[in-house]
Amino acid sequence: MKREERLNHILDLLANKGQIDVDEIVQQLGTSPATARRDLDSLAAASLLTRTHGGAVSNTVAYDLPSRYQREDHDEEKIQIAKVAAAMVNRDMVVGLSGGTTTKAIATELSLRQDLVGEPGRVTLTVVTNAVNIASLLAVRPHIRVMVTGGVLNDRSYELVGPLAQSSLSKITMDLSFLGVNGLDPEDGLMVGDEMEAAVNELLIRQATHSYVVVDSSKIGRRSFVILDRENLTGVITDDKASTEQREALNAAGMPVVN
């Protein structure tokens, strides 16, 4: 298992239990105690957990959200998508992230990118988000400047929505944006379950030079309540379980699949 995968698994275990010890990491990940300790030290240095004797506990700022939002089905697929998306990000970019479990996985990948860390005090990445949990996750990384939109909190998605969120997004530009959706249909396009969330997501598409919907393959063909305007959408990032037929249908509909 690669180092980045181990770190993500450790964070997932902490999200579920609130604490973890070295022996459990060895058992769960099949690694050595020395490697487990080094991984915990690395995450502690990034302020993503707090080391204890023999293990670690979660940082409240990153993990005090309800467990129903921290874990969902298709975690492996979301991590795969997040790695592809995060690899598109370079230093000094402005990146937009909507709310959602897949975009949260992207934020986690960005927080672990050591190549984005510059000299002390230098901001090397700006993240624009309307998701309060993503903002909290990235707040402990001093090299990442986090801009949070205003708005009213949607307690189902931890997203800020409404006129204030739309107004703030309309006044900025982004290099890249990544947004999660509830459904993706080749004919109808991108769909979410809330009209105010849809309005914010449309601005994340419109205000970015390149914008991508990040969606695991289980949501392809699924429908939801509100259809988004996708005129300026660059493409779709999904996992390798998406079928050839699904990919061809999306490509033919003007939503090219990146991977």
Side-chain angles (χ1 to χ4, degrees):
M1 182 180 292
K2 294 182 179 179
R3 178 174 179 271
E4 292 80 5
E5 294 174 332
R6 294 198 312 270
L7 297 180
N8 280 323
H9 277 291
I10 291 170
L11 291 176
D12 281 342
L13 291 169
L14 275 173
N16 278 338
K17 301 182 61 177
Q19 62 182 13
I20 193 171
D21 58 39
V22 170
D23 289 340
E24 186 174 2
I25 294 172
V26 171
Q27 181 180 7
Q28 292 276 345
L29 305 185
T31 188
S32 69
T35 298
R37 293 187 188 96
R38 285 196 297 269
D39 287 345
L40 290 176
D41 289 341
S42 177
L43 290 168
S47 300
L48 292 173
L49 53 76
T50 300
R51 283 288 266 125
T52 62
H53 180 70
V57 295
S58 62
N59 281 351
T60 301
V61 68
Y63 293 105
D64 63 355
L65 296 172
S67 60
R68 69 182 175 88
Y69 191 76
Q70 291 170 349
R71 288 191 65 85
E72 278 196 355
D73 294 334
H74 311 289
D75 280 350
E76 291 184 6
E77 290 86 346
K78 293 176 192 295
I79 292 171
Q80 179 189 351
I81 294 166
K83 289 182 181 299
V84 173
M88 295 180 175
V89 176
N90 297 317
R91 279 192 176 199
D92 301 317
M93 280 187 169
V94 179
V95 178
L97 294 174
S98 76
T101 50
T102 307
T103 48
K104 179 173 176 283
I106 295 172
T108 299
E109 287 292 327
L110 292 175
S111 74
L112 297 174
R113 284 267 304 272
Q114 292 300 309
D115 60 306
L116 293 177
V117 179
E119 56 271 20
R122 179 171 181 244
V123 171
T124 60
L125 181 68
T126 298
V127 172
V128 179
T129 186
N130 68 320
V132 295
N133 63 316
I134 289 176
S136 295
L137 189 155
L138 296 175
V140 296
R141 305 312 303 262
H143 63 287
I144 300 178
R145 176 173 55 187
V146 181
M147 175 192 158
V148 184
T149 69
V152 177
L153 182 65
N154 183 335
D155 62 1
R156 295 172 303 181
S157 65
Y158 301 105
E159 291 178 277
L160 297 167
V161 296
L164 287 176
Q166 295 172 48
S167 176
S168 61
L169 283 173
S170 68
K171 293 178 171 62
I172 64 170
T173 61
M174 294 161 281
D175 297 295
L176 291 172
S177 68
F178 302 102
L179 59 146
V181 294
N182 299 113
L184 177 61
D185 183 82
E187 293 186 8
D188 291 328
L190 325 176
M191 287 168 279
V192 295
D194 182 275
E195 66 275 12
M196 291 195 292
E197 180 184 335
V200 172
N201 283 352
E202 286 179 341
L203 278 165
L204 284 169
I205 294 173
R206 189 179 310 141
Q207 299 298 109
T209 303
H210 300 287
S211 57
Y212 298 88
V213 61
V214 289
V215 57
D216 68 76
S217 53
S218 71
K219 294 181 180 178
I220 299 176
R222 185 185 298 179
R223 300 171 61 82
S224 193
F225 179 51
V226 185
I227 299 173
L228 276 65
D229 181 358
R230 65 176 192 268
E231 181 180 354
N232 296 314
L233 184 72
T234 304
V236 175
I237 303 175
T238 188
D239 57 81
D240 57 13
K241 292 183 180 179
S243 68
T244 301
E245 292 76 14
Q246 288 174 324
R247 293 169 182 270
E248 290 177 349
L250 291 170
N251 290 332
M255 295 180 285
V257 178
V258 173
N259 63 318

